[in-house]
Amino acid sequence: MNELEVLKQHISKRMSLPEEELNAFVAAFTVKRIKKRQFIIQPEFIARVRTFIIKGAFRSYVVGAEGTDHTIQLAIDDWWISDYSSYIFQKPATMFVVALEDSIVAQIEYEAEQRLKREYHDIETFFRMAAEGLAAYHQRRIIASLTRTAEERYNDFIAAYPGMLEKVPQYAIASYLGVTTQFISKIRNKKAASKS
Amino acid sequence: MNELEVLKQHISKRMSLPEEELNAFVAAFTVKRIKKRQFIIQPEFIARVRTFIIKGAFRSYVVGAEGTDHTIQLAIDDWWISDYSSYIFQKPATMFVVALEDSIVAQIEYEAEQRLKREYHDIETFFRMAAEGLAAYHQRRIIASLTRTAEERYNDFIAAYPGMLEKVPQYAIASYLGVTTQFISKIRNKKAASKS
DNA sequence: AAAAACGGTTAACCTTGATTAACTTTTATG
DNA sequence: CATAAAAGTTAATCAAGGTTAACCGTTTTT
């Protein structure tokens, strides 16, 4: 049983596909090993693949005008990652996507995905639901940024994604939440103090 | 020629459908007139329809813990609006959606949309692309909130959506950008001063 | 095994944009 | 058309969270 089993289960959990279709879907992916600190996407280049994380951790980020970087997405086992706009519209990326630890991924090429969506109505539906879920997820993040303080956002985050806290460095979480590492330190400090 | 012509063109511009399919699609919509200040979605109720704006302006917002409201979306002619999560997952809404002026809309019911997506592969594709576009749009907004100052966000907004400035009140734009109306006043004031 | 790079902490000081409040202008309504 | 309600402005004060900088432990690299 190979590493693609994880992907197969990820798909099956979301949508029941006939055996043949599921096999065709999974067969379109290639398994790859990525070393810590290795980039899988860089600005200027077109994101030609969509990446599913079998095991590992990744971070996507943009570098702002002032040179500081801003985390767009954090992803661990069983998540997808890419420069979404670059992949969807097949235009040059604006983000970096980098491995935060040695990882194993499954990647599908843009053209292969298009072919599968055209050939199988169900796979089109799978990606439609995936995109809807992503849009809803993004919207929750927008609402959080409008309605919650930095401290609340941090507490919400660790409550919602406890797995991230273990795998992902503090600076990545800070820049995902739009705060500084110093401020996260302050929050953690305060929490520890109130617990004694 | 009725009001659904606008919707027909909106769809055709994004995807070329066979005549019969396009007609079936458009036939699933109902035209409605909505008065200024009328709500089309309210918290607790499930958003049963997706709304296309033929002519008019709408605002969706959530009310935060402290009682202040936060604009999630602004939409004018040729845009869609709803409580997205409520509609997609058919669970109770958390947002208000209100008309900012007397408007004409075309609405499709959740079940009718599901039926069309199941029956026509092309319509499934249409909604897949719409969801992808929305996810990409939301992501741009997240990036802006992480990388740009309040003043930059305001200037970016009026540059990107000049039509909004005319139709949508200042307080709605302010709360969409996550700033106060007082601060917008300050920015506008500063800009006017530097232009003399 | 030493040096360098990376990740995190602490603290003083500062800036952006919020809050409060009084006031003006515009739009709705009986 | 008169009054109320809604929308926008101005200015003083304040707080959340950023900046700068020094320091420390832990990985990585040579």
Side-chain angles (χ1 to χ4, degrees), chain A residues 95 117 121 124-125 128, chain B residues 117 121 124-125 128 139:
Chain A
M95 298 180 194
K117 285 186 294 205
H121 192 145
E124 182 72 88
T125 304
R128 188 259 300 164
Chain B
K117 285 187 293 206
H121 192 145
E124 182 72 88
T125 303
R128 188 258 300 164
Q139 195 170 275

Side-chain angles (χ1 to χ4, degrees), chain A residues 33-150:
Chain A
R33 258 139 248 273
I34 314 283
K35 284 256 171 223
K36 182 168 180 174
R37 268 173 255 272
Q38 190 181 324
F39 289 89
I40 59 170
I41 290 171
Q42 266 176 293
E44 319 281 301
F45 297 90
I46 294 170
R48 242 176 297 276
V49 296
R50 197 196 274 266
T51 300
F52 174 80
I53 305 170
I54 294 169
K55 192 156 180 1
F58 286 81
R59 171 168 95 103
S60 73
Y61 63 95
V62 295
V63 177
E66 358 64 48
T68 52
D69 60 79
H70 304 273
T71 300
I72 306 309
Q73 205 200 332
L74 294 171
I76 56 177
D77 305 26
D78 212 48
W79 289 56
W80 297 84
I81 196 160
S82 189
D83 177 326
Y84 194 73
S85 291
S86 174
Y87 181 74
I88 291 301
F89 302 124
Q90 286 292 290
K91 44 161 232 227
T94 56
M95 298 180 194
F96 295 90
V97 179
V98 69
L100 293 170
E101 64 182 47
D102 291 357
S103 303
I104 305 169
V105 302
Q107 298 184 315
I108 185 169
E109 303 247 343
Y110 181 77
E111 271 314 330
E113 181 183 315
Q114 292 305 111
R115 198 172 14 78
L116 283 168
K117 285 186 294 205
R118 243 180 282 119
E119 192 161 348
Y120 301 103
H121 192 145
D122 283 346
I123 294 181
E124 182 72 88
T125 304
F126 175 87
F127 281 107
R128 188 259 300 164
M129 294 193 329
E132 285 175 350
L134 184 62
Y137 170 81
H138 282 166
Q139 195 169 273
R140 282 199 302 281
R141 193 170 167 196
I142 291 167
I143 293 173
S145 86
L146 290 172
T147 61
R148 321 228 75 207
T149 65

Side-chain angles (χ1 to χ4, degrees), chain A residues 23-37:
Chain A
N23 285 332
F25 196 174
V26 171
F29 286 79
T30 312
V31 172
K32 253 197 179 161
R33 258 139 248 273
I34 314 283
K35 284 256 171 223
K36 182 168 180 174
R37 268 173 255 272

